[in-house]
Amino acid sequence: MRNELKTITENIEQTSRLGYLFGKGNVVNTLTEQLTKVEENITALEAEKENVENNLAQQTETLASVKRNLKRKEDEIEELGEEIDDLQADLSKKKNALREVEENYADLSSEHNDLTEKHKILLENVKKERTVTKLRENLVGALISAKNENEHLSSFRQIFHNEFLPFASEESSLQNEAGALLKLQEIEKELAMISGLPSFYSARAIAVGGGFSAGKSEFISSFFKNPDLKLPRSIEPTTAIPTYVVNQKNKNQTEVKNSLIGINNNGAAVDLLKIDPDLTQKLSHQFMRSFNFPLKSIMPYMFLTTELTYEHICFVDTPGYNPTGSHTAEDMAVAKEFVANAEALIWLVGADVNGTLPRTDIQFLKNVLGKSKKPVYFVLNKADVKPEADIVKIIKEFSQVLEREKIAYIGISAYDSLEGKGLLYYKGKGKKDIFEFLNSMNKSSNKQDEILHKLYEVERDYQFAIKKDIKQRKAIEKALHKITIDLNQANFKRGQYKVYDQLEIVAESFNTKTEEKHLKTLEKLMANFTNVINQMFGKVSQVKRPNINIDDIEVEGFEFDENNLQESEVHSSKEDELK
C-alpha cells in the first residue's frame, strides 16, 4: 500500500507541477496534505499493525503455551482421572470392608452386649450362690449344733435308751417287741415336738396327704388368715420336709406371730426366720436340691406358726407320693408314721388331672391306713377348673369307688384352694362337707393323756406277755410236780432213780423268778416314764396305769390223764433206770 501511495504521491507531484502551470496548485496542495495525513495514518497503522502482530505473536506464543499447559493439564486430569478411578475402586473396596467391619462390629457389639449381660447374670448368680451357700452353711450349722435343753425330754431319753432298751433286750416274753419300741419312739418324738413348740400340746393334728401336685400346700394355705403367707409348693417328695402348721397368737391375743421352726434329730428347735427372715419363700425345690443331700436327714420336720381359721387344728403338710406308682418303701413308711401320729387324714385328689379317685391312690391308702379307724376325708382339690356338672359326676364316682373298695370316709368335698371355698359335697347319709368336718375336729386336744395312753398300751402288752409267761411256766411246773407224785405212787422211790433229778432240772428251768423280776423292772420303768411325762406337762394326769389280773389270762393246760400212764411204760422206764 505504501508503494501504491508513493506512486500516487509522485503522480500528484507531477500533477502539481502541471497544476501550477494551469493554476491548480491549491488542489494539489490539498491532495498532498491529505496524502501526507494518509501516509501518517498508514505509518501509524503499520506501527499499530506491528504492535498488533507483536501482540498477536505474543498471544500466539501464550496460546501455544496455554495449549501446552492445557495439554499437560489434560494429561494430568487424565492421570488424575485414572487415580480417581483407582481411588474410587479402592474407596469401594474400603466401603465394602467398612461395611463388613460395621456388620462385624454390630455382631461383635451384640455379642459383647450378650456377654456383658451374661457376665452380669453370672455375677448376680455368683452373688446369689454365695448368699445361698452362706444360708446353707448357717442353716446346717444351726441344725447340727442345736441342742434340746428340755430336762424332761432328756430324762425320758435316758430311761428309754439306757434302761428300757436293755430291759427289752433281756426280756423275751413279748413277741411284738418291735411294735412296742416303735410306740415308745413315737412318744419320744411327740415329747420332742412339744418341747420344741409348746402350743402343739393342745392342737389336734390332721395329716393332709395325696399324690405329688395334688395341691396340699395350697389347700393348707387357704386356711391362713395372712393371705401373703404361703407354704412352699411343687417340692418333690424326695426332698420335701413334713411341716406342722400350728395356730399361734401372742399372749395378748391381738398380734399374730409367724414363725418357722426347724427340729433336728435331737428334737432341738431352731428359729429358721432368725437365720433368714424370707426362708419360708426360699424353701423351693431348687434350694432343697442344692444341699446335695436330703435336708430332712438333719431336719426331719418343721413347725410353721401363724393365725389359722381353726384355732385347735394342726395341719400336717406331708410329702406327696409319686402317683405313677413308683413310690418307695421310705415314702410308705413316712406316710404311715404321720397318719399314725395324726388324729385324722384329709386325702386330696387334683381335679386338674383326675376325673376319679386314681387306683394308685387307693392302693397307697390301703397300705397306709391298714386297719386304722382314723377318720378320713376326701377332697377334690382345684375343682374350680371343672364345670359343676362334671364335679357332680366325679364326686358320685368317688363315693362308688370308696364303697366298692370298702374304704371308710367321713365325706367328699369339691374345693377351690385359691378362693378357700367349698363348691359341692357328697350328701350321702351321715356325710359332712369339709367345713363341718373341720369344725368337728376344732377342739382342744390333750396330748398328755394321749401320750400316756400310748405308753400304757406298751405296758399292757408287756404285762400281758410276762404274766402269761409266768402263768404258763407255773402250769408247767405244776404239771411236772404232778408227774413226780404219779411216779412216787408207782413205786419210783425218790433218791433211787435219776428221773427225779431230771424232773427237778426241768422244773427249775420253768421257774418264774426272771419273769417276776422283769415284771418289777417294767413297773419301775413305766412309773419313771409316767413321772417324767407328768413333769413335762406340769400336772398329774388322771389316766390310770394298767394292771392285768393274771387270773384273767388263759393259757394251755398241762393236765395228764392217769389212765394214759400205762403200767407197761412204767415198768419199761424202771428197767431203763436199773440198767
Side-chain angles (χ1 to χ4, degrees):
M1 180 177 283
R2 183 175 288 276
N3 292 329
E4 292 175 354
L5 187 61
K6 185 177 179 181
T7 300
I8 292 171
T9 302
E10 289 177 352
N11 287 336
I12 290 173
E13 286 178 352
Q14 290 177 2
T15 302
S16 65
R17 292 187 189 100
L18 291 174
Y20 281 113
L21 290 177
F22 299 98
K24 295 298 184 178
N26 291 334
V27 174
V28 174
N29 291 333
T30 301
L31 286 172
T32 301
E33 290 175 359
Q34 290 179 353
L35 285 172
T36 301
K37 289 180 179 180
V38 169
E39 186 175 4
E40 291 175 357
N41 286 337
I42 288 172
T43 301
L45 288 171
E46 288 178 346
E48 186 175 352
K49 175 185 175 184
E50 185 179 358
N51 290 332
V52 169
E53 289 176 348
N54 292 333
N55 287 335
L56 180 59
Q58 292 177 357
Q59 292 297 327
T60 300
E61 181 65 27
T62 300
L63 179 59
S65 176
V66 169
K67 285 182 177 180
R68 289 193 298 273
N69 289 334
L70 181 60
K71 181 68 172 64
R72 189 169 58 253
K73 294 297 183 186
E74 287 176 349
D75 294 340
E76 291 178 357
I77 289 172
E78 186 177 355
E79 291 177 359
L80 288 173
E82 293 176 355
E83 290 182 9
I84 288 172
D85 290 340
D86 293 340
L87 289 173
Q88 285 179 341
D90 189 51
L91 179 62
S92 178
K93 291 180 180 179
K94 284 183 167 49
K95 283 182 177 179
N96 292 333
L98 179 61
R99 191 179 300 111
E100 292 179 2
V101 169
E102 288 176 345
E103 291 175 355
N104 291 335
Y105 174 78
D107 293 340
L108 290 172
S109 180
S110 176
E111 186 176 351
H112 176 266
N113 291 336
D114 291 342
L115 290 173
T116 301
E117 186 64 26
K118 289 179 180 178
H119 181 258
K120 181 180 178 182
I121 294 172
L122 182 60
L123 287 177
E124 291 176 354
N125 290 338
V126 169
K127 184 177 180 181
K128 289 180 181 178
E129 182 59 29
R130 285 177 179 172
T131 303
V132 172
T133 300
K134 186 66 175 177
L135 175 58
R136 288 198 301 263
E137 291 174 353
N138 291 340
L139 181 57
V140 172
L143 288 169
I144 292 176
S145 62
K147 296 181 180 179
N148 192 317
E149 303 295 343
N150 188 291
E151 59 178 340
H152 307 304
L153 177 62
S154 298
S155 297
F156 183 91
R157 286 174 169 166
Q158 190 277 329
I159 297 170
F160 180 31
H161 295 281
N162 297 340
E163 298 179 40
F164 190 87
L165 289 181
F167 159 76
S169 177
E170 180 182 337
E171 199 282 321
S172 59
S173 298
L174 182 63
Q175 292 182 352
N176 188 22
E177 182 183 50
L181 295 179
L182 183 62
K183 286 182 181 179
L184 288 175
Q185 288 175 343
E186 291 174 358
I187 292 173
E188 179 183 5
K189 179 181 176 181
E190 287 189 73
L191 293 176
M193 293 172 69
I194 293 169
S195 69
L197 187 70
S199 59
F200 180 68
Y201 162 67
S202 61
R204 302 185 72 180
I206 298 180
V208 180
F212 181 56
S213 296
K216 298 182 295 298
S217 297
E218 292 96 331
F219 175 79
I220 296 174
S221 297
S222 70
F223 299 105
F224 294 176
K225 289 193 175 181
N226 180 358
D228 297 327
L229 183 63
K230 302 291 182 183
L231 283 172
R233 300 169 50 192
S234 301
I235 300 180
E236 289 184 359
T238 54
T239 56
I241 297 175
T243 304
Y244 290 81
V245 182
V246 183
N247 185 70
Q248 179 90 343
K249 285 186 177 182
N250 286 343
K251 293 182 179 180
N252 56 18
Q253 297 291 305
T254 57
E255 296 181 1
V256 178
K257 178 185 178 183
N258 296 328
S259 64
L260 185 65
I261 299 172
I263 306 296
N264 67 10
N265 291 321
N266 293 322
V270 176
D271 190 340
L272 301 179
L273 297 186
K274 285 186 177 179
I275 298 174
D276 189 328
D278 299 322
L279 189 58
T280 305
Q281 304 307 320
K282 291 181 179 179
L283 289 175
S284 64
H285 172 62
Q286 182 179 1
F287 176 73
M288 304 292 275
R289 297 281 291 183
S290 70
F291 283 87
N292 295 322
F293 70 92
L295 184 58
K296 62 183 177 183
S297 65
I298 61 172
M299 185 171 68
Y301 57 93
M302 297 184 295
F303 284 113
L304 175 66
T305 66
T306 187
E307 188 174 11
L308 298 175
T309 306
Y310 299 96
E311 180 180 357
H312 298 295
I313 288 179
C314 165
F315 292 103
V316 186
D317 186 13
T318 62
Y321 84 101
N322 193 328
T324 62
S326 60
H327 49 268
T328 64
E330 182 183 358
D331 296 334
M332 191 71 68
V334 171
K336 284 184 177 180
E337 177 186 355
F338 283 97
V339 169
N341 291 332
E343 296 188 39
L345 171 65
I346 295 177
W347 190 263
L348 302 187
V349 176
D352 54 338
V353 293
N354 292 294
T356 184
L357 185 62
R359 186 67 196 171
T360 51
D361 281 24
I362 295 170
Q363 294 172 345
F364 194 85
L365 277 168
K366 284 185 174 181
N367 287 328
V368 168
L369 292 172
K371 297 180 180 181
S372 172
K373 302 297 183 182
K374 292 183 186 296
V376 181
Y377 199 97
F378 289 86
V379 172
L380 180 65
N381 199 22
K382 308 177 187 178
D384 50 296
V385 303
K386 298 282 187 181
E388 184 174 330
D390 288 352
I391 295 175
V392 172
K393 292 180 182 178
I394 294 173
I395 289 179
K396 185 177 180 181
E397 174 70 15
F398 261 47
S399 65
Q400 293 172 348
V401 171
L402 292 173
E403 295 292 341
R404 184 170 62 249
E405 297 293 336
K406 295 181 170 48
I407 298 177
Y409 64 100
I410 302 299
I412 308 169
S413 281
Y415 191 78
D416 179 359
S417 291
L418 296 178
E419 297 295 330
K421 63 180 182 181
L423 303 179
L424 295 170
Y425 75 99
Y426 178 60
K427 297 182 180 180
K429 184 178 179 181
K431 304 304 179 185
K432 303 176 181 179
D433 72 12
I434 184 64
F435 300 110
E436 288 177 318
F437 169 68
L438 291 173
N439 282 325
S440 68
M441 295 293 296
N442 190 31
K443 298 172 184 176
S444 180
S445 176
N446 189 334
K447 288 286 192 302
Q448 180 180 6
D449 288 355
E450 292 173 9
I451 290 173
L452 286 174
H453 277 300
K454 191 177 293 186
L455 176 68
Y456 295 158
E457 286 178 6
V458 174
E459 183 177 15
R460 187 179 295 107
D461 290 343
Y462 269 104
Q463 263 195 31
F464 182 85
I466 295 172
K467 288 184 177 181
K468 182 178 180 179
D469 207 1
I470 290 174
K471 191 170 184 178
Q472 191 98 26
R473 286 172 174 272
K474 285 184 176 180
I476 294 172
E477 189 178 24
K478 183 178 178 181
L480 290 172
H481 180 66
K482 189 173 186 303
I483 291 173
T484 302
I485 294 174
D486 291 341
L487 286 172
N488 191 42
Q489 291 176 349
N491 295 321
F492 280 79
K493 301 299 181 182
R494 183 177 292 276
Q496 296 180 2
Y497 303 101
K498 294 181 180 179
V499 65
Y500 287 105
D501 296 332
Q502 293 171 346
L503 285 174
E504 286 179 0
I505 292 173
V506 172
E508 183 64 25
S509 67
F510 283 98
N511 72 58
T512 60
K513 293 179 181 178
T514 301
E515 284 67 30
E516 288 172 356
K517 176 186 175 184
H518 288 160
L519 201 60
K520 290 181 180 179
T521 302
L522 175 68
E523 183 179 358
K524 179 182 177 182
L525 289 171
M526 289 299 162
N528 292 339
F529 277 138
T530 301
N531 290 335
V532 168
I533 293 171
N534 286 335
Q535 290 171 9
M536 188 167 191
F537 287 93
K539 62 178 182 179
V540 177
S541 172
Q542 299 304 310
V543 178
K544 301 297 183 183
R545 286 179 59 190
N547 185 15
I548 296 176
N549 189 339
I550 196 170
D551 295 332
D552 296 334
I553 300 175
E554 295 182 2
V555 296
E556 295 180 1
F558 288 88
E559 299 294 334
F560 290 88
D561 187 353
E562 293 180 2
N563 295 325
N564 290 333
L565 189 63
Q566 299 296 328
E567 184 176 353
S568 60
E569 294 177 354
V570 172
H571 288 297
S572 176
S573 298
K574 181 182 290 188
E575 291 173 358
D576 291 339
E577 285 293 321
L578 292 173
K579 293 178 183 179

